[in-house]
Amino acid sequence: MDAELTRAWTPPWPLDIRRTLSLHRRGAGDPAFRFRTDGSVWKTSYTPDGPGTVAITRRDGVVTGHAWGPGASWMLDHLPSLLGADDDPDALVAQDEVVAGLIKRSGGVRLGRTDRVWEALVPAILEQKVVGREAFRAWRHLLMRYGTPAPGAPDMRVAPPQRDWQDIPSWEWHRSGAEPVRMRTIRGATMLDVERHHTRLTMLRGVGRWTESETRCRALGDPDVVPVGDYHVCRTVGQTLIGRPVDDAGMLELLKPYAGQRYRVVRLTEMFGIRAERHGARMSIRDYRSI
């Protein structure tokens, strides 16, 4: 059995663990992330030292990380940054009453960082131009088929390391429901050391500003990236800030006063803002597995 390592840490500020970490969950069935019924949060990662699992609990203000596997020490070393120790929520200064209200409601929510670019990039590519359920299904299939059992948590999986994604055969991508375009984008991305060259992600074929933003906010805790190209995000930002949906250009204009903290505003609108009304047919969930 994997030996358990622990680390106790007392954050010097309010911390909402569940909301801070929810950004890393890829659907309710994510094999690499779990909210347990006892209140603990479990996450796996393929670290520079190998696969690892961390379970995060809190009692009387003390956060405790329990970790297993070759990557256990690495995950415990990075526990504070995962929970936002490097973040500065006070850098967001409200310019209007709406944002002031969002800030007031967001006590304890921080932008953490995983420091694992690849594990954020792959699901972001899978989520390109599809509904979430379709992308989550593909992520779940590929991890259950090619991930390794998580140390200390046999019901979970650790995503394969970057080099191994190149070897996943085309028929397994098909079975996952991911079409060839996303398969080729992920395979092509294996050729770049994304951990060292995370500022060059958009040089990869098939990786644009939206995918870069979705990767950087999770892996690096970047407070200023803007997910341009997401139909729902711009509408939610507009509906929350000015009472009506806007497009990407309108969203960027609304976020200008918050340069340096634009993603933080986006995140707060997603969590506490007003969703724009939906009109017309919803985007269908495609299933390439039967083709």
Side-chain angles (χ1 to χ4, degrees):
M1 295 181 64
D2 296 295
E4 177 182 341
L5 302 181
T6 63
R7 175 183 180 177
W9 175 62
T10 304
W13 19 254
L15 175 62
D16 188 326
I17 295 176
R18 188 182 181 96
R19 280 178 168 156
T20 294
L21 294 181
S22 63
L23 185 64
H24 306 291
R25 185 189 191 207
R26 307 290 183 166
D30 187 349
F33 191 102
R34 291 279 193 272
F35 287 128
R36 301 293 192 187
T37 56
D38 62 0
S40 60
V41 182
W42 292 63
K43 184 180 182 305
T44 72
S45 181
Y46 199 96
T47 77
D49 299 327
T53 305
V54 65
I56 304 169
T57 61
R58 181 171 57 184
R59 183 175 182 181
D60 298 328
V62 178
V63 175
T64 302
H66 312 260
W68 299 264
S73 293
W74 189 95
M75 296 191 80
L76 293 179
D77 287 345
H78 287 75
L79 179 63
S81 57
L82 176 66
L83 294 173
D86 303 322
D87 187 32
D88 181 15
D90 293 337
L92 175 58
V93 178
Q95 303 296 317
D96 56 66
E97 292 183 359
V98 174
V99 174
L102 294 174
I103 294 173
K104 186 176 181 179
R105 295 181 63 186
S106 66
V109 177
R110 304 180 74 88
L111 299 180
R113 54 184 296 157
T114 65
D115 289 305
R116 304 307 297 149
V117 177
W118 181 255
E119 75 176 31
L121 178 61
V122 171
I125 294 173
L126 289 174
E127 291 168 16
Q128 290 176 346
K129 300 179 180 179
V130 299
V131 297
R133 287 172 58 189
E134 181 180 335
F136 299 156
R137 179 186 64 203
W139 173 249
R140 184 168 57 249
H141 174 89
L142 293 169
L143 261 62
M144 295 304 294
R145 184 72 177 85
Y146 290 96
T148 57
D155 63 324
M156 299 179 68
R157 290 292 185 273
V158 180
Q162 180 174 349
R163 61 183 178 275
D164 290 1
W165 288 83
Q166 178 70 37
D167 299 328
I168 297 176
S170 59
W171 58 86
E172 287 294 347
W173 290 97
H174 185 79
R175 289 173 180 171
S176 79
E179 83 286 4
V181 172
R182 287 181 287 166
M183 176 192 71
R184 289 193 294 268
T185 299
I186 292 172
R187 282 181 170 178
T190 63
M191 307 307 293
L192 175 70
D193 184 350
V194 297
E195 309 299 335
R196 293 178 55 195
H197 302 293
H198 53 78
T199 61
R200 300 171 57 189
L201 295 181
T202 54
M203 295 180 63
L204 294 167
R205 185 173 183 177
V207 174
R209 289 179 63 187
W210 182 88
T211 306
E212 178 191 45
S213 297
E214 292 293 304
T215 302
R216 290 185 61 86
C217 68
R218 292 171 171 83
L220 306 173
D222 190 330
D224 195 48
V225 291
V226 182
V228 173
D230 190 303
Y231 174 76
H232 298 294
V233 169
C234 60
R235 290 170 57 82
T236 299
V237 169
Q239 190 70 48
T240 301
L241 298 187
I242 60 173
R244 59 178 175 83
V246 297
D247 57 12
D248 280 336
M251 175 177 66
L252 291 172
E253 187 66 28
L254 290 173
L255 294 175
K256 275 186 178 180
Y258 299 103
Q261 297 292 314
R262 294 177 299 173
Y263 178 71
R264 195 183 308 278
V265 175
V266 169
R267 180 64 176 155
L268 295 186
T269 62
E270 290 180 318
M271 298 180 75
F272 306 109
I274 303 171
R275 301 281 181 177
E277 292 185 7
R278 295 175 181 266
H279 298 283
R282 294 188 176 188
M283 188 175 180
S284 61
I285 300 175
R286 302 173 299 179
D287 194 343
Y288 289 94
R289 296 173 296 178
S290 61
I291 298 176

